[in-house]
Amino acid sequence: MSYVDEVIAKVVEQNPSEPEFHQAVKEVLESLRVVIEANEEKYRKDALLERMVNPERQFKFRVPWVDDKGQVQVNTGYRVQFNSAIGPYKGGIRLHPSVNIGIIKFLGFEQVFKNSLTGLPIGGGKGGSDFDPKGKSDREVMAFCQSFMTELCKYIGADTDVPAGDIGTGAREIGYMFGQYKRIRGLYEGVLTGKGLSYGGSLARTEATGYGLLYLTQELLKLNGIELAGKTVCVSGAGNVAIYAIEKAQQLGAKVVTASDSTGWVYDPDGIDVAALKEIKEVKRARLTEYKNYRPNAEYHEGRGVWSVKCDVALPCATQNELLIDDAKQLAANGCLAVCEGANMPTTMDATEYLQKNGVIFAPGKAANAGGVATSALEMTQNSERLSWTFEEVDAKLQGIMVNICHNMVDAAERYGMKGNYVAGANIAGFEKVVDAMNAQGIV
Ligand SMILES: NC(=O)C1=CN([C@@H]2O[C@H](COP(=O)(O)OP(=O)(O)OC[C@H]3O[C@@H](n4cnc5c(N)ncnc54)[C@H](O)[C@@H]3O)[C@@H](O)[C@H]2O)C=CC1
Ligand SMILES: O=C(O)CCC(=O)C(=O)O
């Protein structure tokens, strides 16, 4: 059995009931097959892949908090410190009822390669809880965040592990967590990113993942002789990534016609009204059903359906496994030119293969959405310097980083004879730096 197949089989056997983690490992290792086979003897002797697929450390803890009725609630918290070969662990905190250790491990594993791709000195980690912020009062969210951080603060720090936002964790949650960290540890330091601007946050971090996605998409289309301006775009999601992806796509001259949340989706033939979307989602924290109150011409549909709308470019920005094989077939049949992932692993493996085989340009999340974590690393730099850069400075650095990632991904695929396979390109480019650092640091 080849080394890659052996390690994939072990991951499945040793991590039962973690399908998302299996999927992430398979996707990465399958696409690295050529690189690994070229060095199989050494990598096998060093158990390099076993060390890569096993987190350095993982924490699971109880998170008790009191709800508004005086009832004690208990959630489970997680932090997985996956790989610190190239820098302190870095990665977001997901608050969603679907969170379990397998989800956090898949996200942490992806984060290792993504963070390497940014070119910045950050290792990979991820955390979260099955707590659902939806429908909770501010006080309940604060109570949860304080309890979560009371435990988490023992394991993190500005130079060891720096969490940030992800699904369900935005500026409000980061603020409560930062306050509790400071109170317990007595340290005013850049232990979290995505902070508010009044206490050490970076300008452009809010926008960074969505804007970065568009900078990479625009560059990749350009390399393929296509202009983004004038194109019709479908976006899924209506959270942080989706909102700023829509905003930047429209600034770059494209028309975005869809957005979605966990209950339904909207089609706006005149182009999504970003100001209305921000008010509904960021201010009111309401459902997308409200969108029709702002835009009477728009349609609201229950359930899924964004990928049935004809578009030139599709940007999945909601969650994992939201773009399935039938969606891929529909997109390709509708003449879609490119799918670029804003979310983490939103496209299933069979859907990805179908798109690639049918001539649709496909940019994987670990490259396309790396602008968020890259800007988090810029926030860490500003915190260390005790300086704040202007929006334009951060945005210019973000653009440079995304264009670089795009070229590194394209070049790595070509170097290994897989021109146009950007999944392989991104995984190879991310892998090479981590392997180099791991080899240099001995068997750890
Ligand atoms: N926030 C960030 O900086 C980064 C986020 N990501 C990824 O982007 C994706 C979106 O994250 P955010 O926008 O930050 O989260 P968010 O909490 O701001 O928004 C998530 C959006 O996805 C929708 N959603 C969640 N679960 C869904 C489901 N099962 N079906 C349909 N819609 C669903 C929600 O309704 C919401 O509109 C996630 O995969 C996240 O891991 C990736 C890189 C950085
Ligand atoms: O900004 C960060 O540190 C993490 C962002 C994140 O969670 C991600 O890239 O998936």
Side-chain angles (χ1 to χ4, degrees):
M1 208 193 245
S2 80
Y3 185 36
V4 165
D5 292 324
E6 211 177 279
V7 173
I8 291 176
K10 261 195 233 169
V11 165
V12 173
E13 191 195 320
Q14 293 172 353
N15 303 271
S17 313
E18 296 179 8
E20 293 84 1
F21 181 52
H22 303 168
Q23 182 183 343
V25 169
K26 276 184 201 159
E27 181 252 311
V28 170
L29 295 192
E30 289 289 359
S31 75
L32 289 173
R33 206 176 269 281
V34 200
V35 187
I36 291 161
E37 279 168 6
N39 290 285
E40 180 147 341
E41 208 179 318
K42 177 173 168 43
Y43 287 171
R44 193 196 283 270
K45 186 154 178 282
D46 290 351
L48 180 87
L49 296 184
E50 285 87 340
R51 286 186 287 137
M52 276 204 158
V53 298
N54 277 293
E56 287 175 21
R57 203 171 292 107
Q58 62 194 50
F59 304 99
K60 179 177 179 190
F61 48 94
R62 182 171 74 206
V63 189
W65 56 279
V66 183
D67 72 16
D68 284 348
K69 296 191 184 104
Q71 174 66 48
V72 175
Q73 301 287 342
V74 181
N75 288 101
T76 304
Y78 305 91
R79 185 75 183 165
V80 174
Q81 298 181 334
F82 223 107
N83 191 308
S84 62
I86 64 172
Y89 310 103
K90 183 85 198 83
I93 290 174
R94 177 171 294 190
L95 300 182
H96 193 271
S98 64
V99 164
N100 57 43
I101 188 65
I103 301 255
I104 300 300
K105 275 161 65 184
F106 118 64
L107 290 162
F109 183 71
E110 291 279 294
Q111 199 81 46
V112 174
F113 301 93
K114 181 194 307 193
N115 293 4
S116 167
L117 277 172
T118 65
L120 301 168
I122 39 177
K126 198 85 184 193
S129 172
D130 56 357
F131 174 77
D132 188 358
K134 256 186 231 136
K136 304 290 191 299
S137 69
D138 276 353
R139 196 210 58 82
E140 289 176 321
V141 171
M142 182 174 75
F144 168 82
C145 290
Q146 291 182 337
S147 180
F148 181 79
M149 185 50 86
T150 299
E151 186 60 26
L152 186 67
C153 75
K154 299 168 190 166
Y155 318 115
I156 61 175
D159 293 314
T160 51
D161 182 355
V162 183
D166 189 77
I167 291 180
T169 306
R172 174 181 62 169
E173 290 75 16
I174 292 290
Y176 294 146
M177 289 182 196
F178 183 78
Q180 187 73 350
Y181 179 87
K182 181 166 61 73
R183 186 177 177 205
I184 299 180
R185 297 285 301 268
L187 292 170
Y188 204 110
E189 60 171 8
V191 66
L192 291 162
T193 59
K195 299 185 292 299
L197 297 177
S198 56
Y199 63 96
S202 173
L203 284 161
R205 174 60 186 93
T206 304
E207 294 82 356
T209 311
Y211 279 22
L213 170 64
L214 267 297
Y215 295 144
L216 182 134
T217 301
Q218 186 181 39
E219 185 69 14
L220 190 57
L221 289 178
K222 198 167 91 188
L223 292 176
N224 282 278
I226 302 165
E227 239 200 89
L228 177 64
K231 297 290 184 290
T232 300
V233 178
C234 279
V235 168
S236 65
N240 172 265
V241 180
I243 289 173
Y244 292 95
I246 295 171
E247 182 168 279
K248 182 52 74 177
Q250 293 184 341
Q251 285 172 9
L252 295 174
K255 180 158 93 168
V256 183
V257 292
T258 63
S260 66
D261 63 17
S262 44
T263 51
W265 58 285
V266 291
Y267 169 66
D268 188 337
D270 304 322
I272 294 286
D273 179 342
V274 184
L277 197 59
K278 285 184 184 174
E279 191 168 316
I280 295 166
K281 288 293 174 184
E282 294 184 336
V283 182
K284 295 187 179 169
R285 299 179 189 275
R287 312 286 347 160
L288 267 183
T289 37
E290 292 230 350
Y291 187 80
K292 261 186 84 67
N293 301 338
Y294 295 79
R295 305 276 280 188
N297 272 346
E299 296 167 14
Y300 174 80
H301 301 272
E302 294 284 331
R304 329 173 46 246
V306 162
W307 312 124
S308 64
V309 175
K310 188 171 163 50
C311 66
D312 303 305
V313 177
L315 305 175
C317 296
T319 191
Q320 66 272 3
N321 294 331
E322 52 150 322
L323 200 162
L324 313 176
I325 182 71
D326 288 343
D327 302 317
K329 288 181 179 165
Q330 178 96 65
L331 284 167
N334 282 344
C336 177
L337 302 168
V339 173
C340 301
E341 296 185 323
N344 284 310
M345 209 171 72
T347 316
T348 57
M349 266 174 94
D350 53 352
T352 303
E353 274 165 31
Y354 185 88
L355 293 167
Q356 289 175 317
K357 283 194 183 132
N358 286 276
V360 180
I361 295 165
F362 182 85
K366 61 172 75 65
N369 71 35
V373 75
T375 306
S376 278
L378 301 179
E379 182 172 327
M380 289 165 70
T381 308
Q382 293 169 76
N383 291 164
S384 304
E385 288 186 325
R386 303 205 185 287
L387 286 175
S388 297
W389 303 338
T390 63
F391 187 96
E392 289 69 28
E393 277 175 280
V394 181
D395 191 40
K397 287 192 198 321
L398 170 64
Q399 284 188 53
I401 290 168
M402 297 314 293
V403 167
N404 244 332
I405 292 176
C406 183
H407 287 263
N408 288 342
M409 162 181 98
V410 169
D411 295 348
E414 282 188 27
R415 253 194 292 129
Y416 281 90
M418 292 184 274
K419 188 168 190 280
N421 183 345
Y422 306 126
V423 172
N427 288 333
I428 293 167
F431 175 80
E432 285 179 329
K433 183 174 171 191
V434 177
V435 170
D436 193 57
M438 284 175 74
N439 282 337
Q441 292 171 31
I443 303 303
V444 287

